[in-house]
Amino acid sequence: MTQYETVSTDAGEARITWYAGTKPWAVLALGHGAGGGVEARDLQALAAALPAHGVTVALVEQPWRVAGKKVAPAPKTLDAGWRGLWPNLAKPGLPVIAGGRSAGARVACRTGRELGALAVLALSFPLHPPGKPEKTRAEELLGTGLPTLVVQGGNDPFGRPEEFPEGPYGLVEVPYGDHGFAVAKRAPLTQDEALAGLVDGVTEWISALR
């Protein structure tokens, strides 16, 4: 069952789309990136698959997106929006896994421990701007202080899996995937197979947190 909830935050009104888990034991909260919303293929795939594994999925739309703006605000504003809706994510009384894709992954990394998250899921973590590996954001990822999983496309211009530093986190590679986990038609696996691998990797990791 899908439910929608609007939440007032210091950054404006946010929206949560709930996908109720079967006999849920945890909530997975997923924020979107700076270039798109919760319709992203990876977020939708996880929202479709995880409820059957006892995980309620909450897809979070940041206030700037709800307001119809085209450009994401500064990181501190994104963090303020996330903090403001966290009590609603925790309301079911279940452990909350903080997650998101790209900019949303950075928010989860920066705020997860402070908010009492069980773990952090970073989808397409933007390790650096494309073509600028020297501008690394590794400290956000390495500083979560929580069980953390990175899921990264093999061809992500924001950081390929082999560019990531060693650290206390797991990493699942989606072969041939770009920043949105899209795979080229000439790739030796299909788009559906790529997403199935992503879902399997996340499901296995979340199950181990139980």
Side-chain angles (χ1 to χ4, degrees):
M1 192 171 71
T2 307
Q3 289 185 310
Y4 302 91
E5 181 180 7
T6 301
V7 185
S8 293
T9 78
D10 289 345
E13 283 202 341
R15 187 185 297 123
I16 305 173
T17 306
W18 291 94
Y19 298 81
T22 305
K23 296 182 180 174
W25 65 272
V27 170
L28 172 62
L30 293 171
H32 53 77
V38 296
E39 71 280 358
R41 59 172 61 82
D42 49 335
L43 304 184
Q44 290 293 323
L46 292 170
L50 288 174
H53 296 274
V55 178
T56 291
V57 177
L59 298 187
V60 174
E61 289 176 85
Q62 280 271 3
W64 69 272
R65 185 82 182 174
V66 174
K69 294 176 182 172
K70 301 286 188 234
V71 180
K76 66 179 182 181
T77 305
L78 295 177
D79 291 355
W82 190 252
R83 288 188 183 100
L85 55 82
W86 189 265
N88 294 68
L89 298 170
K91 199 185 293 176
L94 302 170
V96 183
I97 301 159
R101 64 166 288 101
S102 197
R106 294 182 65 194
V107 172
C109 287
R110 288 193 298 260
T111 62
R113 190 174 188 179
E114 156 206 340
L115 293 171
L118 173 66
V120 171
L121 173 61
L123 303 161
S124 293
F125 185 84
L127 186 64
H128 57 70
K132 297 180 179 177
E134 72 282 359
K135 294 194 171 181
T136 180
R137 298 164 180 143
E139 72 282 351
E140 291 179 354
L141 177 62
L142 296 172
T144 67
L146 295 169
T148 301
L149 180 69
V150 175
V151 184
Q152 205 74 4
N155 292 332
D156 192 333
F158 289 82
R160 295 185 306 280
E162 61 269 20
E163 294 181 70
F164 278 71
E166 286 190 19
Y169 60 88
L171 195 150
V172 170
E173 178 174 352
V174 178
Y176 310 101
D178 65 8
H179 194 57
F181 297 113
V183 296
K185 286 196 169 66
R186 64 181 181 275
L189 80 168
T190 66
Q191 186 65 66
D192 286 348
E193 288 169 338
L195 284 176
L198 181 154
V199 169
D200 288 348
V202 172
T203 302
E204 185 178 334
W205 173 74
I206 286 182
S207 298
L209 294 171
R210 193 165 186 173

